[in-house]
């Protein structure tokens, strides 16, 4: 446990240094943040357009879908904030600069994840919060301690799940830097998918989203619980509480894939 | 024998093509991503038709075709961010472009068509093929429709290119355009009809969309393809694309002249 | 007998290279970047590791520092197996790549040092002591608060070397540390490294294309070519081996036959230009020039010092 506090302290210092560097460019930071805020509103615009045409989408109303949108958006925004710079990792491999991480007495994944911090992505989180506020205001939720706890837990567990997907899929760069775009299908694709109810999708796609790339555990299952809504697919209720476990499993898988990737890099040559 | 300038255009276009052909794995990865997104968007949009038969001129079948066609068009028309010209302006490399015999914008346009040709084959066909084979997307049966579609596609590339030129040329006057660029891209994505068909927009929003050049990049060619636009309105649509392309290209040339004069006078 | 700082036993590294043959087919080749290396380095030595481009130098250093896993053989650095005990080893070694930026690009130099302090878990006393020493010896104060991206190459190199040594590594690996530096800066870096070796007993493995660096710093030289060690000895042995061969490049007024000169031989002719190799210990360039001028009118001349490639080529030719 001494190790964990050491890691956190190091992370804090790295982030503080990055923050100082980023906040030096005040106007560009303000513009970026505003841009991000507007972007999340425009993303929601698509949902509004959909509901201008139909009263319900696969049995879900606008505020209900807004809830899914907000949870997914908030989760993705915080993940992006913390590890969005992971998208630069393929370039690191291509330049041979990944070697520089291997010569330091710290885990390579740790170094990479703590290398930067995208403060400007906060704008997207604020946008998602606004949509969340709209959703909660328009839904009749039977609040109890369980539901409140779920609401608070959603984002941290969701961040771990998204981050795991991001790390696991970006590992493709260890084998082929050119193929790095495949990762987008899962990360940005995952965000897109998570905004809509699972029963919208074909059975095989649903299974993929629940058991392989566990997007369903980011927003869908927790939302079902908060809404007190019976699952249109008919899956068991206890599934709604398993998100933290899924997050742990996902993190485990991601770090295993990463280690596998590093070993390949060390054999196949930079 | 082709005149020299046209030969140069073709030469540059060929290089534009080869530049993208050099990375087959990246292209394959991109095509894979296109197909995945096609699956997702298809599922979502189709769900609307559980409640209704038609939305605007689109029915379920047209929407399926729309989804797979837009996934194919995405990379041909290249509505995503592109900063090459802006980078060259900022680093000063633009100076070397100025002493070359061909105008940089024209050279970029030629390269653009080379790129678009490559991506028509390798990023355009795969999603459309998947859509047709696995999801019953419909191909036009009328040869005239195909002709009109390809004319529209050629114009769409020009419109998209010209717009990209405009926001790149802002680099002559500002140092960091990234935040506004991203915003522009998101606006572009919605109003080009790429996220949701403009057919689904409420009338006031559709009016705003058509006041911009963005539908000319995606929605107009798609509407011709799925026959949402048919008969004489097709010619009107094509004329509209042409007008946008010419207007924005003229503006690009103008801004470029202004910007380079400023550069030369101030010494970059 | 203490454990050697570095030990390699029949180490080899193969890479699989895929080549496109024709339009669709691909051929795979196995390339041996390192064929068979065996040597050991005692603690406190200053070793130069040289060879032509593509000889396997970088690959060796990468295997020693835990970046690459060898295809065969045994490696031990500071008593550890590099790829198996990577983070442990990283604590005990310092690595500096001359052509790469290891410091934080947009942060002031001192902040990079602070971050390294926590990354390497350097005790406060050690950190303060080392920092003040390096500040003094390398004159860091004038740019300590400047962001790394604004530093000149010479300043950055001084910063990078400091960064590599703050945690008191037992072994320092330097890969082309002085590349691009001017003569004065090189000298200063060399002196600094010598004192570090003397005072801290730090083992040094230096790869460089600069023969002067190697000559002035290293007591022992290892030459690698095509993945094999072709020379392992001290500088005097190396000099004796290839002698003091220099090359006089003469431009004659007009193209002509090869000049006949005592103690020298023409190794190449291109039009009016002739390359003449001679033993620098027995003949001076001035003497040779005079002898050449006596035979044919000269227009211009230069003197070339032996390149490491030439040295290696000669040694390799000898072995062949």
């Amino acid at each position: 446990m001494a190790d964990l506090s050491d890691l956190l302290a190091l992370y804090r210092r790295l982030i503080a240094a990055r923050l100082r560097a980023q906040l030096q460019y005040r106007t560009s930071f303000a513009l970026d943040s505003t841009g991000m805020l507007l972007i999340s509103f425009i993303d929601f615009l698509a949902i509004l357009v959909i509901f201008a045409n139909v009263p319900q989408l696969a049995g879900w109303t606008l505020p209900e879908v807004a809830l899914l949108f907000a949870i997914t958006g908030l989760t993705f925004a915080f993940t992006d904030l913390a590890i969005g710079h992971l998208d630069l990792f393929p370039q690191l491999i291509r330049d041979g600069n990944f070697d520089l991480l291997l010569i330091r007495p710290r885990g390579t994944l740790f170094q990479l994840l703590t290398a930067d911090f995208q403060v400007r992505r906060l704008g997207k989180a604020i946008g998602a919060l606004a949509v969340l506020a709209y959703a909660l205001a328009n839904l009749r939720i039977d609040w109890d301690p369980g539901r409140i706890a779920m609401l608070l837990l959603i984002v941290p567990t969701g961040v771990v799940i998204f981050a795991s997907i991001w790390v696991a899929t970006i590992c493709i760069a260890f084998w082929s830097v050119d193929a790095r775009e495949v990762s987008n299908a899962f990360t940005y694709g995952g965000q897109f998918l998570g905004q809509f109810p699972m029963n919208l999708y074909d059975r095989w796609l649903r299974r993929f989203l629940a058991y392989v790339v566990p997007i369903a555990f980011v927003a869908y299952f927790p939302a079902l619980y908060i809404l007190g809504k019976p699952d249109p697919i008919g899956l068991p209720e206890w599934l709604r509480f398993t998100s933290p476990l899924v997050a742990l499993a996902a993190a485990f898988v991601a770090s295993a894939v990463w280690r596998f990737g590093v070993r390949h890099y060390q054999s196949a040559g930079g | 024998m082709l005149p020299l300038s046209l030969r140069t255009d073709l030469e540059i276009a060929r290089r534009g093509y080869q530049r993208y052909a050099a990375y087959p794995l990246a292209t394959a990865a991109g095509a894979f991503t296109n197909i995945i997104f096609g699956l997702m968007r298809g599922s979502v949009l189709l769900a609307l038709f559980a409640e209704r038969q038609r939305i605007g001129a689109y029915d379920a079948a047209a929407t399926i075709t729309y989804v797979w066609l837009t996934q194919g068009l995405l990379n041909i028309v290249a509505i995503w961010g592109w900063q090459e010209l802006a980078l060259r302006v900022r680093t000063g490399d633009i100076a070397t472009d100025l002493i070359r015999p061909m105008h940089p914008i024209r050279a970029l346009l030629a390269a653009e068509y080379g790129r678009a040709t490559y991506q028509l084959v390798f990023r355009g066909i795969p999603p459309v093929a998947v859509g047709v084979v696995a999801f019953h997307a419909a191909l036009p049966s009328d040869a005239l429709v195909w002709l009109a579609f390809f004319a529209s596609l050629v114009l769409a590339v020009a419109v998209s290119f010209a717009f990209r030129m405009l926001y790149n040329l802002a680099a002559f006057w500002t140092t960091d355009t990234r935040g506004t660029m991203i915003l522009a891209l998101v606006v572009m994505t919605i109003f080009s009809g790429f996220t949701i068909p403009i057919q689904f927009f409420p009338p006031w929003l559709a009016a705003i969309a058509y006041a911009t050049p963005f539908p000319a990049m995606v929605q107009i060619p798609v509407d011709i393809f799925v026959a949402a636009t048919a008969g004489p309105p097709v010619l009107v649509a094509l004329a509209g694309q042409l007008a946008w392309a010419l207007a924005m290209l003229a503006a690009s040339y103008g801004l470029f002249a202004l910007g380079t004069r400023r550069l030369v006078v101030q010494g970059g | 007998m203490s454990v050697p700082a570095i030990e390699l036993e029949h180490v080899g590294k193969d890479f699989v290279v895929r080549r496109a043959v024709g339009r669709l087919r691909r051929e795979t080749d196995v390339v041996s970047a390192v064929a068979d290396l065996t040597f050991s380095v005692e603690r406190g030595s200053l070793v130069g590791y040289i060879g032509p481009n593509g000889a396997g130098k970088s690959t060796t250093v990468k295997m020693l520092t835990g970046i690459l896993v060898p295809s065969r053989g045994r490696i031990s650095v500071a008593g550890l197996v590099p790829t198996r005990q990577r983070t442990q080893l990283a604590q005990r070694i310092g690595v500096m790549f001359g052509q790469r930026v290891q410091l934080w690009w947009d942060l002031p130099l001192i902040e990079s040092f602070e971050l390294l302090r926590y990354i390497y878990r350097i005790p406060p006393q050690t950190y303060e002591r080392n920092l003040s020493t390096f500040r003094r010896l390398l004159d860091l104060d004038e740019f300590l608060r400047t962001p790394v991206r604004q530093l000149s190459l010479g300043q950055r190199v001084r910063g990078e070397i400091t960064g590599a040594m703050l945690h008191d590594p037992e072994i320092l690996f330097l890969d082309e540390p002085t590349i691009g530096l001017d003569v004065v800066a090189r000298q200063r870096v060399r002196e600094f490294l010598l004192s570090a070796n003397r005072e801290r007993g730090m083992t040094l493995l230096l790869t460089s294309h600069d023969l002067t660096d190697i000559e002035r710093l290293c007591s022992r030289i290892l030459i690698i070519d095509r993945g094999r060690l072709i020379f392992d000895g001290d500088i005097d042995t190396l000099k004796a081996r290839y002698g003091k061969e220099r090359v006089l490049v003469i431009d004659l007024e007009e193209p002509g036959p090869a000049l006949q000169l005592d103690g020298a031989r023409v190794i190449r002719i291109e039009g009016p230009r002739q390359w003449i190799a001679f033993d620098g210990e027995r003949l001076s360039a001035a003497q040779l020039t005079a002898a050449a001028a006596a035979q044919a009118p000269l227009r211009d001349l230069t003197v070339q010092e032996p390149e490491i490639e030439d040295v290696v080529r000669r040694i390799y030719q000898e072995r062949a």
Side-chain angles (χ1 to χ4, degrees):
Chain A
M1 270 304 117
D3 246 350
L4 185 63
S5 65
D6 167 51
L7 288 177
L8 285 173
L10 183 55
Y11 183 55
R12 241 193 4 251
R13 285 181 199 283
L14 290 164
I15 296 311
R18 287 265 122 237
L19 268 173
R20 274 197 302 273
Q22 280 178 31
L23 290 177
Q24 278 184 353
Y25 306 97
R26 280 187 195 282
T27 35
S28 134
F29 170 73
L31 274 173
D32 277 349
S33 303
T34 324
M36 290 291 150
L37 185 66
L38 290 169
I39 286 170
S40 56
F41 285 148
I42 292 176
D43 279 343
F44 189 58
L45 189 64
I47 309 253
L48 290 173
V49 168
I50 288 178
F51 277 93
N53 288 289
V54 292
Q56 277 200 345
L57 195 66
W60 290 62
T61 61
L62 174 55
E64 288 175 337
V65 173
L67 183 65
L68 289 175
F69 176 90
I71 296 173
T72 312
L74 204 57
T75 310
F76 190 79
F78 279 115
T79 314
D80 205 2
L81 191 76
I83 68 166
H85 52 277
L86 207 55
D87 280 349
L88 297 174
F89 159 69
Q91 191 57 35
L92 216 61
I93 297 268
R94 175 167 271 156
D95 293 338
N97 284 327
F98 187 72
D99 294 352
L100 301 180
L101 296 180
L102 287 165
I103 56 173
R104 297 221 189 279
R106 298 285 183 170
T108 48
L109 186 58
F110 175 79
Q111 289 181 68
L112 210 57
L113 295 180
T114 56
D116 206 346
F117 193 76
Q118 315 294 330
V119 186
R120 58 175 169 269
R121 309 285 163 101
L122 207 57
K124 267 201 176 173
I126 296 176
L129 268 173
V131 176
L132 181 65
Y134 161 81
L136 294 178
N138 284 283
L139 288 165
R140 263 171 302 128
I141 296 177
D142 225 343
W143 289 110
D144 62 33
R147 294 211 164 92
I148 296 177
M150 178 69 86
L151 191 63
L152 293 172
L153 269 175
I154 287 177
V155 172
T157 48
V159 166
V160 174
I161 295 177
F162 257 131
S164 305
I165 297 172
W166 209 319
V167 167
T169 54
I170 205 88
C171 283
I172 197 166
F174 281 121
W175 283 267
S176 162
V177 176
D178 279 348
R180 43 99 59 255
E181 206 181 319
V182 165
S183 159
N184 291 355
F186 297 95
T187 50
Y188 297 96
Q191 188 199 5
F192 181 85
L193 281 174
Q195 293 168 350
F196 299 101
M198 288 291 124
N199 54 307
L200 205 62
Y201 306 118
D202 277 342
R203 193 179 345 141
W204 61 268
L205 183 55
R206 279 205 308 259
R207 292 205 177 135
F208 186 76
L209 290 176
Y211 306 123
V212 181
V213 178
I215 297 287
F217 292 90
V218 173
Y220 181 70
F221 287 122
L224 282 179
Y225 174 65
I226 292 176
L227 295 168
K229 198 177 162 84
D231 189 350
I233 311 175
L235 288 169
E237 265 199 48
W238 55 264
L239 224 51
R240 304 175 189 190
F241 304 100
T242 54
S243 292
L245 278 166
V246 172
L248 262 148
F252 182 75
V253 169
S255 64
V257 174
W258 180 266
R259 271 196 306 262
F260 187 56
V262 174
R263 266 205 296 276
H264 171 86
Y265 181 85
Q266 289 178 306
S267 305
Chain B
M1 223 33 248
L2 292 170
L4 176 65
S5 55
L6 197 57
R7 272 216 307 273
T8 319
D9 287 326
L10 284 172
E11 207 28 62
I12 296 177
R14 192 169 64 84
R15 284 210 208 109
Y17 179 101
Q18 281 170 345
R19 201 172 148 207
Y20 282 83
Y23 297 96
L25 263 176
T27 303
F32 170 81
T33 308
N34 287 146
I35 291 172
I36 297 291
F37 271 95
L39 292 169
M40 301 192 296
R41 291 175 64 217
S43 306
V44 173
L45 289 180
L46 219 53
L48 277 98
F49 291 94
E51 311 274 331
R52 290 170 67 149
Q53 290 277 44
R54 294 192 85 83
I55 303 179
Y58 276 38
D59 59 9
T63 306
I64 282 288
T65 312
Y66 154 88
V67 167
W68 291 101
L69 187 61
T70 47
Q71 287 302 131
L73 282 185
L74 178 60
N75 283 93
I76 303 170
V77 171
I79 62 177
W80 297 125
W82 180 90
Q83 291 253 56
E84 220 175 273
L85 183 59
L87 274 167
R88 291 188 75 77
V89 170
R90 287 204 197 104
T91 59
D93 285 348
I94 196 77
T96 48
D97 293 340
L98 292 174
I99 57 180
R100 295 228 176 90
M102 188 173 259
H103 194 285
I105 293 185
R106 176 165 169 185
L108 285 169
L109 183 59
E112 180 73 357
Y113 275 111
R115 179 197 63 75
T117 309
Y118 175 79
Q119 290 178 321
L120 174 66
V121 176
F122 292 98
R123 298 291 286 269
I125 294 183
V128 174
V130 170
V132 168
V133 168
F135 297 95
H136 312 294
L139 297 173
S141 46
D142 188 346
L144 275 176
V145 174
W146 279 103
L147 194 62
F149 171 70
F150 277 111
S152 186
L153 195 56
V154 168
L155 290 170
V157 171
V159 172
S160 169
F161 170 80
F163 182 74
R164 265 178 283 137
M165 280 298 105
L166 288 177
Y167 73 68
N168 265 255
L169 290 171
F172 274 120
W173 288 276
T174 68
T175 46
D176 188 5
T177 50
R178 207 208 13 217
T180 40
M181 185 192 93
I182 296 177
L183 183 58
L185 289 178
V186 177
V187 170
M188 212 159 78
T189 315
I190 287 259
F191 286 131
S192 64
F194 176 74
T195 325
I196 306 246
I198 299 181
Q199 300 285 339
F200 293 17
F201 285 19
W204 59 271
L205 197 60
I208 295 177
Y210 280 109
T212 70
F214 307 129
M217 298 178 198
V218 177
Q219 193 67 57
I220 291 183
V222 172
D223 277 352
I224 293 177
F225 194 89
V226 302
T229 311
V234 171
L235 292 169
V236 176
L238 290 172
Q241 279 182 299
L242 185 62
W244 276 114
L246 290 174
M248 292 199 297
L249 276 172
S252 306
Y253 272 88
L255 277 178
F256 187 82
L258 271 173
T260 48
R261 195 168 58 205
R262 184 173 182 267
L263 190 74
V264 165
V265 164
Q266 292 196 340
Chain C
M1 195 61 176
S2 61
V3 176
I6 299 173
E7 244 187 314
L8 290 91
E9 229 178 273
H10 295 297
V11 170
K13 180 64 185 167
D14 303 325
F15 291 118
V16 175
V17 171
R18 272 198 217 103
R19 275 180 311 119
V21 174
R23 252 178 207 268
L24 279 171
R25 279 191 311 124
R26 293 279 198 58
E27 221 175 64
T28 48
D29 266 329
V30 174
V31 170
S32 258
V34 172
D36 189 336
L37 276 184
T38 305
F39 66 86
S40 71
V41 173
E42 296 303 319
R43 288 181 183 280
S45 341
L46 268 159
V47 177
Y49 193 56
I50 61 182
N53 291 326
K57 295 193 300 293
S58 309
T59 309
T60 314
V61 172
K62 287 186 188 179
M63 287 194 284
L64 293 175
T65 50
I67 294 172
L68 286 179
V69 132
S71 304
R72 51 187 172 276
R74 193 182 68 85
I75 300 185
S76 162
V77 177
L80 301 168
V81 179
T83 39
R84 255 187 253 141
Q85 294 158 295
R86 181 183 73 76
T87 46
Q88 237 183 306
L89 180 66
Q91 195 68 45
R92 305 219 215 144
I93 63 174
V95 187
M96 189 229 159
F97 293 104
Q99 285 161 315
R100 298 197 187 281
V101 181
Q102 289 166 257
L103 300 169
W104 281 259
W105 191 242
D106 23 359
L107 298 181
L109 185 59
I110 184 69
E111 286 195 31
S112 276
F113 295 156
E114 288 284 322
L115 287 173
L116 287 170
R117 170 184 177 176
Y118 292 103
I119 289 177
Y120 282 94
R121 302 181 187 95
I122 309 176
Q125 272 178 321
T126 314
Y127 177 73
E128 295 302 332
R129 180 179 28 94
N130 284 342
L131 186 59
S132 65
T133 310
F134 299 152
R135 279 168 66 179
R136 185 171 40 88
L137 291 178
L138 292 171
D139 250 336
L140 301 178
D141 282 339
E142 46 169 320
F143 52 91
L144 208 55
R145 308 214 173 270
T146 317
V148 170
R149 69 170 188 276
Q150 290 174 3
L151 297 178
S152 72
L153 178 64
Q155 292 171 329
R156 190 172 65 70
V157 165
R158 277 140 66 189
E160 298 274 7
I161 293 185
T162 306
M165 290 177 56
L166 275 172
H167 60 286
D168 270 343
E170 297 168 20
I171 309 168
L172 188 63
F173 294 89
L174 297 154
D175 188 77
E176 304 281 355
T178 58
I179 200 164
L181 291 184
D182 62 62
V183 169
V184 173
R186 272 179 213 244
Q187 169 85 332
R188 173 190 246 162
V189 167
R190 279 199 294 262
E191 277 164 12
F192 175 78
L193 292 172
L194 271 171
S195 78
N197 167 255
R198 238 184 358 244
E199 280 157 40
R200 293 150 192 270
M202 195 175 64
T203 314
L204 221 74
L205 185 81
L206 170 69
T207 64
S208 181
H209 276 291
D210 187 331
L211 211 55
T212 327
D213 277 353
I214 303 287
E215 242 180 302
R216 303 263 167 91
L217 273 175
C218 305
S219 50
R220 178 175 166 206
I221 296 185
L222 298 163
I223 305 185
I224 182 173
D225 189 23
R226 288 179 240 189
R228 280 174 209 279
L229 214 52
I230 60 174
F231 178 85
D232 180 354
D234 57 48
I235 192 85
D236 293 322
T237 318
L238 188 65
K239 279 192 186 169
R241 226 18 118 65
Y242 73 81
K244 273 296 247 165
E245 177 166 288
R246 307 166 80 196
V247 173
L248 182 70
V249 186
I250 280 189
D251 284 342
L252 301 173
E253 283 287 344
E254 284 173 4
L259 297 169
Q260 304 291 353
L261 299 158
D262 250 340
R265 70 184 194 289
V266 174
I267 55 177
R268 184 163 146 213
I269 299 184
E270 260 172 41
R273 181 168 289 185
Q274 301 194 9
W275 282 256
I276 307 169
F278 64 99
D279 184 341
E281 253 158 22
R282 292 208 267 125
L283 215 57
S284 79
Q287 288 169 315
L288 191 60
T289 309
Q295 284 195 21
L298 306 181
R299 195 153 49 125
D300 202 354
L301 61 88
T302 19
V303 181
Q304 279 181 358
E305 302 303 329
E307 299 278 341
I308 198 68
E309 272 79 10
D310 298 327
V311 173
V312 169
R313 206 180 311 126
R314 291 199 86 216
I315 294 180
Y316 203 73
Q317 281 168 354
E318 228 178 75
R319 280 164 54 88

